[in-house]
Amino acid sequence: MKNGLEELRKKRGIKQEELAEILEVSRQTIGSLENGRYNPSIVLAFKIAKYFNLIIEDIFIYKEE
Amino acid sequence: MKNGLEELRKKRGIKQEELAEILEVSRQTIGSLENGRYNPSIVLAFKIAKYFNLIIEDIFIYKEE
DNA sequence: TAAATATGGAAAGTAAACTTGACATATGTA
DNA sequence: TACATATGTCAAGTTTACTTTCCATATTTA
């Protein structure tokens, strides 16, 4: 699963910590998602998509397997 | 989070057990999702959407909170 | 009636998402 | 140079998704 989170965040000009506060997760969670250490829960994926006015499929690219 | 999984499955005329095999999860996982005991992982949500030729947002309705 | 089929759901265990806390490094700024 | 800011990442702990096993119940079929 790839994602364009880092790029979207930088385009918005906000820090990991700021995005974390908005989404109500820790800064480490944002960093872990941006660096591919794990996938978001579906709830967090929905929150992220809503914040960027996109759908989940625009941000998270499912690679089967 | 609400979802229309049971309805979609029945429209396809398949059993929980058959859908479980297709998605490579247990029958209990399908039952638990249909009855709202927990939410799917984002990977499972993608697999479900793909199987029904829909996007995640068509099947899973995010209610903030 | 009895046996098979489909579903609901609990219990206990594993795996993955997420937390807090800590420390390292790189870069900007005083 | 020194300090602050932003990010990377690890370790240990909690929560939640998911598994396997089991049993209950409702409906269909022999």
Side-chain angles (χ1 to χ4, degrees):
Chain A
M1 177 100 71
K2 290 221 119 192
N3 75 73
L5 191 53
E6 182 171 9
E7 195 184 342
L8 284 169
R9 176 180 60 80
K10 289 186 173 167
K11 230 186 287 178
R12 285 267 173 136
I14 63 172
K15 300 162 205 160
Q16 287 186 348
E17 192 156 16
E18 290 169 335
L19 182 57
E21 274 166 28
I22 290 163
L23 301 175
E24 299 176 290
V25 294
S26 67
R27 173 182 68 84
Q28 286 82 344
T29 291
I30 301 300
S32 293
L33 296 179
E34 287 188 358
N35 290 295
R37 276 188 291 279
Y38 50 73
N39 297 321
S41 70
I42 193 171
V43 168
L44 181 50
F46 267 110
K47 285 184 178 180
I48 292 169
K50 187 179 182 195
Y51 175 71
F52 289 108
N53 291 309
L54 294 170
I55 62 172
I56 291 174
E57 285 80 356
D58 288 330
I59 305 173
F60 298 94
I61 308 304
Y62 175 56
K63 297 280 183 192
E64 22 249 298
E65 242 67 292
Chain B
M1 175 102 69
K2 290 219 119 193
N3 74 72
L5 191 54
E6 182 171 10
E7 195 183 343
L8 284 169
R9 176 180 59 80
K10 289 185 171 167
K11 230 187 286 179
R12 284 267 173 136
I14 62 172
K15 298 162 206 161
Q16 286 186 348
E17 192 156 16
E18 290 168 334
L19 182 57
E21 275 167 27
I22 290 163
L23 301 174
E24 299 176 291
V25 294
S26 68
R27 173 183 69 82
Q28 285 79 350
T29 292
I30 301 301
S32 294
L33 296 179
E34 287 189 357
N35 290 295
R37 275 188 293 280
Y38 48 73
N39 298 321
S41 69
I42 194 172
V43 168
L44 181 51
F46 267 110
K47 284 184 179 182
I48 291 169
K50 187 180 180 193
Y51 175 70
F52 289 108
N53 292 308
L54 294 170
I55 62 173
I56 290 174
E57 286 79 357
D58 289 330
I59 306 174
F60 298 93
I61 309 304
Y62 175 57
K63 298 280 184 192
E64 23 249 298
E65 244 67 292

